[in-house]
């Protein structure tokens, strides 16, 4: 906790002071943007209210000094990778000086007219890009409620496999098909198996689903062969975002044995544009999920007093859906679920420590996703597979339409925010995507 977390801070960017904004001055997430209609390289910016502070342009005005200056120069790259590779202390120094620069009672008030002119861009005039050049993407399965629900569908008497409570389960995803939020998602083709006719066919997915997840971007990372101890894992967490790991359930159920997810997951994964830094999350760190006494405790390499005391995050996640008909009739998106990240069985720190425990090297900008975030209540289930119980219990939309799984034209919006007593609420923004028809229908 430091000066940037003060609840009484206000910005001279008035939109940052409006109730409900995801980007007050206590947040200051980093992202990559370009000005619409201008031929220029993407650049690093910081979200403040409904504006973006262009870090390089601000640096050109001589507003950063010391360690913050080194981090500001890292922002000249058209991606966050160099900044993510920086020492956390340098990133913290840059964030502190940006906070001071944007405070209504901060220094350099005489620079504000020039900052408004050259370094402050309305979000409506910006195009947003993936925050980093993601070399590798790993998706975990960290929600015990999600794992238990899915297991019950296939193994009612033994929903959790024997390893689940011992090891963070994950798979290596496809970095090339990560897309920025707002990008359309084309319905994929694949092989499916019809149990009634015992036949295999190839065609468009019929059980398209979303998965509401939290993404974690890796900071400095580790050398090959050198694991990251659990006590150091937080230094390698640059920040978090929202992730929608679109899933073709019918394709997945046929292909996943014996090696796990493949084409059912690799056609698109949406990533929100703003990365909320680990430092901005400090007021919202809470104890890790309390395991029942009968559950095995984490192995020593996954356990530490600090991880137990502050490994969780007071983060709420919502999923909203609007069908094409709803949008045509100007009906607001309907909320499908609301869940809390505090219910995750495995923490982000444990995911980092486990991922590197065999010597695997994580690099700046690598993306780790939590897996579907679900809670214990039916309205906290983070995907349609759970909400409709594999399609057997369809949802009814305000238009009277029903949904077992996603239809063409459906728009899915993920939303997340942190809120706790004694802290200014901050948000992650939205992660949206509209389903488009398969390119080559049957």
């Amino acid at each position: 906790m430091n000066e940037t977390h003060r609840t009484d801070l206000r910005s001279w960017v008035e939109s940052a002071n409006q109730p409900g904004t995801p980007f007050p001055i206590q947040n200051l997430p980093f992202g990559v943007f370009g000005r619409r209609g201008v031929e220029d390289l993407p650049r690093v910016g910081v979200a403040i209210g409904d504006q973006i502070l262009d870090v390089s342009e601000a640096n050109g005005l001589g507003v950063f000094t010391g360690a913050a200056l080194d981090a500001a120069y890292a922002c000249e790259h058209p991606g966050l990778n160099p900044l993510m590779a920086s020492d956390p202390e340098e990133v913290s120094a840059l964030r502190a000086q940006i906070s001071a620069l944007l405070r209504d009672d901060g220094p350099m008030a005489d620079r504000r007219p020039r900052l408004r002119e050259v370094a402050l861009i309305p979000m409506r005039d910006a195009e947003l890009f993936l925050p980093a050049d993601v070399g590798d993407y790993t998706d975990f399965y960290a929600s015990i409620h999600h794992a238990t629900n899915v297991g019950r569908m296939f193994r009612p008497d033994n929903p959790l496999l024997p390893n689940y409570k011992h090891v963070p389960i994950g798979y290596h995803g496809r970095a090339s098909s990560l897309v920025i939020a707002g990008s359309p998602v084309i319905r994929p083709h694949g092989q499916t198996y019809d149990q009634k006719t015992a036949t295999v066919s190839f065609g468009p997915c019929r059980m398209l689903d979303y998965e509401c997840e939290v993404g974690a971007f890796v900071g400095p990372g580790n050398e090959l062969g050198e694991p990251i101890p659990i006590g150091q894992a937080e230094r390698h967490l640059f920040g978090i975002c929202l992730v929608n790991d679109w899933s073709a359930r019918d394709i997945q159920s046929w292909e996943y044995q014996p090696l796990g997810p493949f084409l059912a997951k690799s056609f698109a994964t949406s990533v929100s544009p703003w990365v909320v830094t680990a430092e901005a999350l400090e007021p919202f760190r809470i104890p890790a999920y309390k395991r029942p006494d009968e559950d095995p405790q984490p192995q020593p390499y996954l356990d530490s007093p600090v991880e137990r005391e502050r490994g969780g995050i007071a983060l709420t996640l919502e999923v909203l859906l609007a069908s094409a008909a709803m949008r045509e009739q100007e009906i607001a998106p309907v909320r499908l679920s609301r869940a809390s990240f505090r219910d995750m069985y495995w923490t982000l720190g444990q995911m980092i420590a486990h991922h590197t425990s065999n010597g695997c090297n994580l690099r700046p900008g690598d993306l780790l996703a939590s897996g579907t975030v679900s809670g214990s209540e039916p309205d906290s289930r983070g995907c349609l597979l759970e909400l409709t119980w594999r399609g057997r219990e369809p949802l009814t939309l305000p238009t009277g339409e029903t949904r077992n799984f996603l239809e063409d034209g459906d728009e899915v919006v993920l939303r997340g925010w942190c809120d706790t007593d004694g802290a200014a609420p901050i948000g992650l923004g939205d992660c949206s995507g509209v389903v488009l028809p398969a390119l080559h229908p049957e």
Side-chain angles (χ1 to χ4, degrees):
M1 297 283 287
N2 57 41
E3 181 80 3
T4 67
H5 301 115
R6 281 175 38 195
T7 58
D8 64 337
L9 293 182
R10 291 179 63 83
S11 175
W12 50 266
V13 179
E14 281 301 324
S15 59
N17 305 319
Q18 297 300 315
T21 177
F23 307 127
I25 195 169
Q26 292 84 358
N27 194 346
L28 303 178
F30 287 91
V32 177
F33 76 100
R35 299 174 189 251
R36 294 187 188 276
V38 176
E39 292 187 9
D40 200 1
L41 286 174
R43 54 188 60 206
V44 172
V46 170
I48 178 73
D50 61 5
Q51 306 287 308
I52 301 172
L53 178 73
D54 187 323
V55 178
S56 292
E57 290 286 358
N59 190 30
L61 299 178
V63 297
F64 302 125
T65 61
L69 185 59
D70 293 333
Y73 281 128
C75 293
E76 292 182 354
H77 190 273
L80 289 176
N81 299 71
L83 184 64
M84 291 172 171
S86 302
D87 288 338
E89 291 76 14
E90 294 179 354
V91 179
S92 179
L94 176 62
R95 185 172 173 277
Q97 291 191 21
I98 291 174
S99 175
L101 186 67
L102 294 172
R103 282 170 51 177
D104 61 359
D105 61 349
M108 294 185 282
D110 59 315
R111 306 286 184 94
R112 292 175 191 171
R114 187 64 175 154
L115 281 169
R116 285 187 184 277
E117 181 182 354
V118 302
L120 211 58
I121 298 93
M123 284 192 185
R124 64 176 182 272
D125 297 336
E127 180 181 2
L128 302 176
F129 300 95
L130 284 174
D133 181 8
V134 180
D136 285 296
Y137 160 54
T138 302
D139 196 20
F140 282 88
Y141 197 48
S143 168
I144 192 169
H145 301 294
H146 173 65
T148 301
N149 284 335
V150 175
R152 283 198 182 111
M153 296 176 197
F154 300 94
R155 300 177 302 277
D157 298 328
N158 188 27
L160 285 181
L161 294 174
N163 62 351
Y164 186 84
K165 295 181 179 181
H166 293 271
V167 57
I169 302 298
Y171 73 92
H172 293 286
R174 183 75 183 177
S176 67
S177 53
L178 296 174
V179 297
I180 189 64
S183 301
V185 176
I186 299 172
R187 184 177 296 273
H189 281 68
Q191 279 196 27
T192 57
Y193 177 74
D194 189 319
Q195 291 185 337
K196 294 181 180 179
T197 61
T199 58
V200 177
S201 61
F202 180 83
C205 163
R206 294 186 178 87
M207 299 170 67
L208 185 61
D209 202 357
Y210 60 83
E211 290 192 343
C212 179
E213 307 192 14
V214 171
F217 277 102
V218 173
N222 59 307
E223 296 294 328
L224 183 65
E226 299 180 4
I228 296 175
I230 185 67
Q232 294 293 316
E234 289 290 335
R235 286 186 60 83
H236 298 271
L237 172 63
F238 179 83
I240 66 171
C241 65
L242 296 172
V243 170
N244 185 344
D245 187 35
W246 304 89
S247 300
R249 300 300 189 186
D250 46 353
I251 298 171
Q252 182 179 359
S253 65
W254 173 237
E255 73 174 10
Y256 83 101
Q257 297 186 39
L259 295 181
F262 185 33
L263 299 184
K265 298 279 192 173
S266 63
F267 59 95
T269 301
S270 298
V271 179
S272 62
W274 297 109
V275 184
V276 176
T277 63
E279 185 174 82
L281 294 171
E282 280 298 322
F284 310 100
R285 300 311 293 260
I286 57 176
Y289 178 84
K290 182 67 170 68
R291 299 184 176 207
D293 292 339
E294 63 270 19
D295 280 12
Q297 295 306 301
Q299 292 285 326
Y301 79 99
L302 293 174
D303 189 30
S304 76
V306 173
E307 199 64 26
R308 290 194 296 271
E309 293 167 8
R310 57 181 302 280
I313 304 174
L315 169 61
T316 300
L317 300 159
E318 282 188 347
V319 181
L320 302 98
L321 185 142
S323 68
M326 289 172 63
R327 297 197 302 279
E328 289 172 3
Q329 298 176 40
E330 299 183 349
I331 298 174
V334 61
R335 190 180 78 199
L336 299 184
S337 66
R338 176 182 286 177
S340 175
F341 200 64
R342 69 176 67 225
D343 291 330
M344 301 301 278
Y345 198 80
W346 299 100
T347 69
L348 296 178
Q350 289 171 326
M351 295 177 210
I352 291 172
H354 180 67
H355 204 314
T356 64
S357 63
N358 68 341
C360 173
N361 55 320
L362 296 179
R363 295 172 292 186
D366 281 358
L367 180 63
L368 312 182
S370 64
T372 302
V373 180
S374 293
S376 58
E377 300 301 320
D379 64 354
S380 64
R381 296 170 180 172
C383 64
L384 284 176
L385 180 70
E386 293 177 82
L387 280 171
T388 70
W389 208 253
R390 209 183 177 195
R392 298 169 192 161
E393 302 171 9
L395 305 175
T396 301
L397 302 180
T399 53
E401 302 169 276
T402 59
R403 288 293 183 270
N404 306 88
F405 291 95
L406 295 174
E407 300 290 342
D408 294 345
D410 285 351
E411 180 180 28
V412 178
V413 180
L414 311 186
R415 191 165 290 162
W417 68 91
C418 298
D419 194 4
T420 192
D421 292 340
I426 63 173
L428 278 67
D430 290 356
C431 182
S432 64
V434 175
V435 177
L436 298 186
L439 290 179
H440 304 290
E442 290 178 317

